[in-house]
Amino acid sequence: MSLLAVEASGITNEVVEATSGVIGLAWLIPVIPLLGFVAVLLATRTLGDRAALISIGAAALTFLLSVAVAVQVLAQPATYVRPLWTWMDIGGFSVAFDLLIDQLTVVMLLVVTGVGTLIHIYSVGYMHGDARYPRFFAYLNLFLASMLILVLGENLLVLFLGWELVGLSSYLLIGFWFERSAYASAAKKAFITNRVGDVSFMVGMFLAFATFGTLEILGIVQDAGGIASGTAFALVLLFLGGAVAKSAQIPLYVWLPDAMAGPTPVSALIHAATMVTAGVYLLVRLSPLLIVSIEAMEVIAWIGALTALMAALIAVRQDDIKKILAYSTVSQLGFMVLAVGVGAFRESIFHLVTHAFFKGLLFLVAGSVMHAMANRTDIWRMGGLRKAMPVTFWTALIGTAAIAGVPPLAGFFSKDQILTEAYFHGYGAIWIIGLVAAILTAFYMSRWFILIFLGEPRYGDDVHPHESPRSMTVPLIALAALSAVGGAALNAVHTGPLYTFLEPTVGPIDGLGYEPYGPLEEAVLIPLAIVAAAVGILAAYLAYAKRDVSMGSLAEPVKGPVAELMERKFFVDEAYEAVFTRFGGQVGRFLVWVDTRVIDGAVHGVGAVTMVVGRAGRRAQSGLVRGYVGVTLLGAIALVVVLLVQVR
Amino acid sequence: MMLGQVAQAAAGVTAETTLFWVFAVLALGSAIAVISLRNIVHGALMLVLNFLAVAGLFLNLSSPFLSIIQVLVYGGAIMVLFLFVIMLLGVDNDDLLSSSVRGRVMAVVGGALLAGALLFAFVGPYTSAASVCADDAPPPAAGQMSCAGLEYDEDDGAGAAFLGRSMFTTYTYAFELSALLLTVATIGAVILARRRDLEPEDEDLADRDERGPDDAPDDAARILAGDGIDDPQEHAGVGGSPAASGSQTPADDRPSPEREG
Amino acid sequence: MALGYYFALSALLFCIGLTGVLVRRNAIVLFMCVELMLNAVNLTLVAAANLWGGPDGQVFVFFVIVVAAAEVVVGLALIVNLYFRRGTLDVDIPQLLKH
């Protein structure tokens, strides 16, 4: 074991290189699900429905290993590096395939494998009877392996490998029912939108290598303090570009609502709980770099705040059970990014964890409801499911309350702490935006809940809702329990156990000179947040529970152009369509024209000219030796005549 | 000058001129005969006559060494090679003339045209009275070109030393390259003229089947031996010449390519 | 004796050789005509060497003879080859390049 200390960054963890013990076995964490993926994929026919057992086994084993690793890190807090092998070694550029295990990794590991395992179990019931049942589990395992590589990578390039692999599995799972072209398009949309961010990420890596001479996260973190603020600004924004695409922030959030085309467990696992938080994870992981450029952090904060507000506004007027949750996810991710921007790195991770609990739960609830309603998704044609689906109802209630910010559930703590941090760090406008977004969150989630579970049934006689099988309700209950107590247990106050645990891994913000925005104390801010949640819930109750909503979306209390704007998602998709698809299509068509006419024309022209010259030249190449001599003779005569004329 | 001087002593001042006219008429006549005689063997013999006439002209131009080379290489070796091939192929009577009368006329006209142009352009200045080479030309001023002829010692082997000094100093690389050229030409000729390659494919296969596998090594050995005989000689001739004395080597070097033929 | 006469003679010989190449179809005769042309050039060179008073022209002639010897060896081998393959010496027949 060699000991190194990362001092320059202000991170106080000692770096321990470990090849034995639990950390030595950490390489199994991504390998087990990968093996599960390969095994299931290879033996799809033979395994049949038993494929699920292999996948769940792999996920559960990974979870247990993660727990073991977590215990080790808890017992001996340190930044463990597990060297595996040298991935590539080109000249001065060497990439080691090492694993980085510290407190942040452990939190991510537990969330990914824990929620992942629950959703694997849930999928057994949800995907039952699907034609490609084994393949679904194979993909889930692939995703799990990819996400774990992303989380464990010690090198930005390894992280990027995982980053791309989760993008791939996301693509595969969104387009899982690729027979419907809309779903296949949604998968492509997600993939292509993420490519935009990947370019930014890659350029960021180039710049990072040019700046630090290495892509090792520890190396970058160590030297981050010594670089010019301009370089840091560029670097942070470039990595932010990657995070914006992966974590669905303005302007690249458009893929996430469409990603709901995938099976609901996928939405829960990938597009709510884990993958979309990869961008937040990346930013927090690079937080020692972030604090070098406070300007870049402000950009991050604003992007997060605007995303939180805009997505919440859109979610207020959506009718699709999953679309609402999707925009809610975008909004909550906005909160996380906002938190990173205002320097609340640990709060961001805290919200990431609680969000994984309650948003995973809510998506599973949505899946359960759709399961019961024959895949119906319009919340106006539901209602009154409380009696038919008691377990789903109660877990949904917990989930809704948690995300709305009702104390003492998980969402209350995490969201409130982000807002208070924003306030204390002097970002007044962002704090107000966050507060408005919190009110909206409470409103749209209550609307979602009321329209689905309360009131009179509006689903007609052809649907007979029933409670979902145990494989689905057990994960619901588990996640509901986590949503209920997770927040209080992990970090009820600003210096809770999670923060103490995470403190050595994030950049210190003491030197940033944050001043509180106003004179308000936490004792005032917390009630304010509770009031905000109450206002949202009350408004939704008055609008949807106290009024007759039987005529569907016409029952919306607020009408007019603004509501229309929200319902049509601010026309962002249409704008993108116009700008990128249409204009891009024009550019593409022009390029096609250039290609076929100019370039191909030039190529064909060269060929045609050659043919013409050849045809003309062939006549000269008669093969008659004497013909050649005759021409030579003519040339000689001409030459002599020319000389004669010139001399005379 | 040697022959010229001899002739001058015998027949007076115009001996050199007389010899020129004799050889010129011979050369022109034999050349016309070469292109017009139907019998190729006769044509070839006329060509020999032409070569000899040109050799005489070389002598008249005080180049005895080249004259000898001309007789040996052209009149001897090359023409022997031609006759060899003519006899080998048995095509001594050629009925292949130009396909059309029109073409023939055009060829003659073209040739005459070029000849006229050349005579008019280049020959005129040297035949006029003002030419430095005219019989009654005044002695040239210092540094001006004269028509004095080649200045070399009469005793150094008919001008061979004169030629050799230049050839093995200024033109050494060209000389070596010409040696290489001859080697390559020899090898090329050997390969091209091998009749085995020319036999049709099926015949060749049948032949090989009949002979059986045992004969093949002999065959290969024979070819190898044949090449081996040619090569050392060639290399000795080429490789040895630069080391040998300047006056001897060119003459020694000459016969080697012909021997191959 | 003015050298111009030598030049005139060699020009005539050259043109006779050229005419021969144009007129005859037999490959061997063609070759002999080419030799005629080479000889004419040699004559010019020797005459010019006489005019300049240096050895260069003679050296050129020497090399021309060397090249001519090599050319004849290869050329005749080709002719023999051609005759065995095509059974004719007509240079107008093998117009393989044309197709």
Side-chain angles (χ1 to χ4, degrees), chain A residues 426-484:
Chain A
Y427 293 97
I430 287 171
W431 173 66
I432 291 166
I433 292 175
L435 214 54
V436 172
I439 296 171
L440 289 169
T441 305
F443 178 78
Y444 68 71
M445 282 316 300
S446 303
R447 169 178 177 264
W448 180 86
F449 179 76
I450 290 165
L451 287 176
I452 293 172
F453 291 102
L454 304 181
E456 295 301 313
R458 297 183 299 276
Y459 41 77
D461 297 334
D462 53 334
V463 180
H464 304 287
H466 53 87
E467 187 54 272
S468 298
R470 285 182 71 91
S471 65
M472 288 166 76
T473 52
V474 167
L476 284 179
I477 293 165
L479 282 172
L482 285 169
S483 303

Side-chain angles (χ1 to χ4, degrees), chain B residues 18-30 50 53 57, chain C residues 5 9 13:
Chain B
T18 314
L19 278 173
F20 169 79
W21 285 115
V22 170
F23 287 133
V25 170
L26 263 178
L28 283 174
S30 59
N50 180 274
L57 287 169
Chain C
Y5 293 104
L9 175 63
L13 283 174

Side-chain angles (χ1 to χ4, degrees), chain A residues 413-425:
Chain A
F413 294 106
S414 55
K415 205 189 303 174
D416 170 62
Q417 281 164 17
I418 288 173
L419 290 176
T420 42
E421 282 299 298
Y423 185 85
F424 285 139
H425 288 175

Side-chain angles (χ1 to χ4, degrees), chain B residues 155-194:
Chain B
D155 302 329
D156 72 351
F162 176 69
L163 197 57
R165 265 194 292 278
S166 180
M167 192 141 35
F168 294 113
T169 53
T170 320
Y171 299 100
T172 313
Y173 290 119
F175 182 81
E176 296 291 343
L177 279 176
S178 67
L180 186 69
L181 175 73
L182 286 171
T183 316
V184 172
T186 310
I187 295 168
V190 168
I191 289 168
L192 277 172
R194 269 167 63 189

Side-chain angles (χ1 to χ4, degrees), chain C residues 20-69:
Chain C
V21 172
L22 287 171
V23 167
R24 304 294 290 261
R25 285 161 67 189
N26 190 310
I28 295 177
V29 179
L30 233 64
F31 235 102
M32 299 202 301
C33 293
V34 170
E35 296 302 318
L36 262 182
M37 292 160 75
L38 281 171
N39 248 285
V41 174
N42 282 353
L43 185 58
T44 314
L45 283 169
V46 173
N50 225 37
L51 173 61
W52 294 97
D56 302 317
Q58 295 204 353
V59 176
F60 288 169
V61 172
F62 176 80
F63 287 127
V64 169
I65 292 175
V66 170
V67 173

